[in-house]
Amino acid sequence: MARFTCGHDLPKGRVGMNLAHVPRDSSNRCPSCQTKTPSGVIGLLRNLQKPATALALAAASASPGKSPTKSRLSRDANSSVSMPYLVTFALDGFASQRKTAAFRTRQVDVLAALGDACLALLDRGQLASFWATARGRWGVDVGRLVLRAVAQAALRSCLGPADREPVRTDIVHALNDLVEFVRERGAVVDTPEQLDIVLDGAARLSKLRDDIAVALEALEDGFGRWEAAGK
């Protein structure tokens, strides 16, 4: 008897074995039927990010006779070798139908879900391989879509949504003003409590200033390689 309401079973091979550990969608369709709709692709990508999915995949890939602890599974889950195959399966569902009206209408949503899944589930090496697979299987345009989807997901994660109020342009000047302010207070300390305040403030400002300097240097170095990285 078929395992799904659509009358189909899991795909054969490694992908099907791994999909057995992914929660089913509410309609209980097989993964192949599920990924025929934008909402199905999005649902699969979100299910892949559930902790229970990662733990089940890590347990399934553990050496026979060994019972890894839950903490070990949690550490290993996101680097599971199964994840690239499953994310690729979801990508194939989108890429093969991206020119249909349904997928064109929801392309932004699907790509956002894809970017979030890639960022959460794949390490840098896996991301590079995933991009190469996408480009080789579906062409340069899809490869570019994948890269930009992951980039946008990282920006959302680190910097918030695009419509978020930007940091004030005078933030660095404000930091310098705070440094001077703490220096002034350090010259007029009268109590141990005031000393504690100055010591804490100086330590925090030192770390903040160093972090900003390192970040600016890394940004300058990274974007200095932009043109070369595009060749």
Side-chain angles (χ1 to χ4, degrees), residues 14-36:
R14 183 200 298 263
V15 171
M17 292 174 59
N18 289 318
L19 283 169
H21 303 288
V22 180
R24 302 180 182 182
D25 73 348
S26 58
S27 65
N28 196 31
R29 296 169 294 172
C30 74
S32 296
C33 287
Q34 180 183 349
T35 54
K36 288 181 179 178

Side-chain angles (χ1 to χ4, degrees), residues 185 187-195:
R185 286 296 183 266
V188 293
V189 167
D190 288 326
T191 67
E193 290 78 12
Q194 289 178 336
L195 176 61

Side-chain angles (χ1 to χ4, degrees), residues 199-216:
L199 292 177
D200 289 343
R204 292 189 179 105
L205 285 171
S206 176
K207 183 177 186 306
L208 181 59
R209 185 168 59 181
D210 290 345
D211 288 347
I212 289 176
V214 170
L216 289 174

Side-chain angles (χ1 to χ4, degrees), residues 53-106:
T53 301
L55 290 171
L57 288 168
S61 63
S63 301
K66 294 186 178 180
S67 299
T69 62
K70 185 173 182 179
S71 61
R72 167 72 182 280
L73 292 178
S74 296
R75 289 195 302 271
D76 294 347
N78 280 354
S79 60
S80 168
V81 295
S82 305
M83 284 303 182
Y85 296 99
L86 298 178
V87 179
T88 299
F89 180 83
L91 169 69
D92 289 345
F94 159 69
S96 63
Q97 303 167 93
R98 66 188 185 281
K99 295 182 180 179
T100 65
F103 274 86
R104 284 202 307 269
T105 300
R106 298 203 63 191

